[in-house]
């Protein structure tokens, strides 16, 4: 099983990762808001950090459900992509 591989330091995904880490630090380490988490889950998926991507996507679903259904959809999509990459067709279908 693949996963948790880091992207090269020059990639756009790496820069997005750094951007998200900076925002999180500026918020006192409390995490990103739900809508940002949904996008960050996409970055984590693309950079191979599947475990963290899944956690961020699940949290984004819970947080964004209160105010932004579009980002819930994005987070659910990422959960489906992760499930497919892991070979879990049933979980992908559920997402």
């Amino acid at each position: 099983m693949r996963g948790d591989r880091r992207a090269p330091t020059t990639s756009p995904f790496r820069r997005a990762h750094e951007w998200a880490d900076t925002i999180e630090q500026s918020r006192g380490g409390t995490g990103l808001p739900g809508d940002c988490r949904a996008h960050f889950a996409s970055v984590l998926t693309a950079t191979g950090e599947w475990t963290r991507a899944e956690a961020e996507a699940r949290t984004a679903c819970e947080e964004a459900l209160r105010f932004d259904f579009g980002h819930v959809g994005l987070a659910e999509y990422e959960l489906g992509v992760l499930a497919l990459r892991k070979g879990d067709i049933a979980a992908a279908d559920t997402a």
Side-chain angles (χ1 to χ4, degrees):
M1 179 169 81
R2 295 177 3 190
D4 294 318
R5 292 184 313 179
R6 305 282 173 165
T9 57
T10 58
S11 78
F13 291 113
R14 182 67 188 153
R15 287 191 298 276
H17 196 293
E18 291 169 357
W19 171 83
D21 284 343
T22 300
I23 291 172
E24 186 172 11
Q25 289 172 3
S26 73
R27 293 173 47 92
T30 59
L32 298 167
D35 53 342
C36 291
R37 278 186 198 276
H39 292 288
F40 189 44
S42 299
V43 170
L44 292 169
T45 298
T47 58
E49 294 183 64
W50 296 357
T51 302
R52 187 171 174 198
E54 185 174 357
E56 292 290 343
R58 289 190 188 288
T59 302
C61 286
E62 294 169 11
E63 291 178 358
L65 187 59
R66 291 175 270 191
F67 64 90
D68 188 347
F69 294 121
H71 284 94
V72 172
L74 175 61
E76 288 288 348
Y77 170 81
E78 286 305 321
L79 289 170
V81 168
L82 288 164
L84 281 176
R85 289 185 178 185
K86 293 177 182 178
D88 188 345
I89 303 301
D93 187 46
T94 299

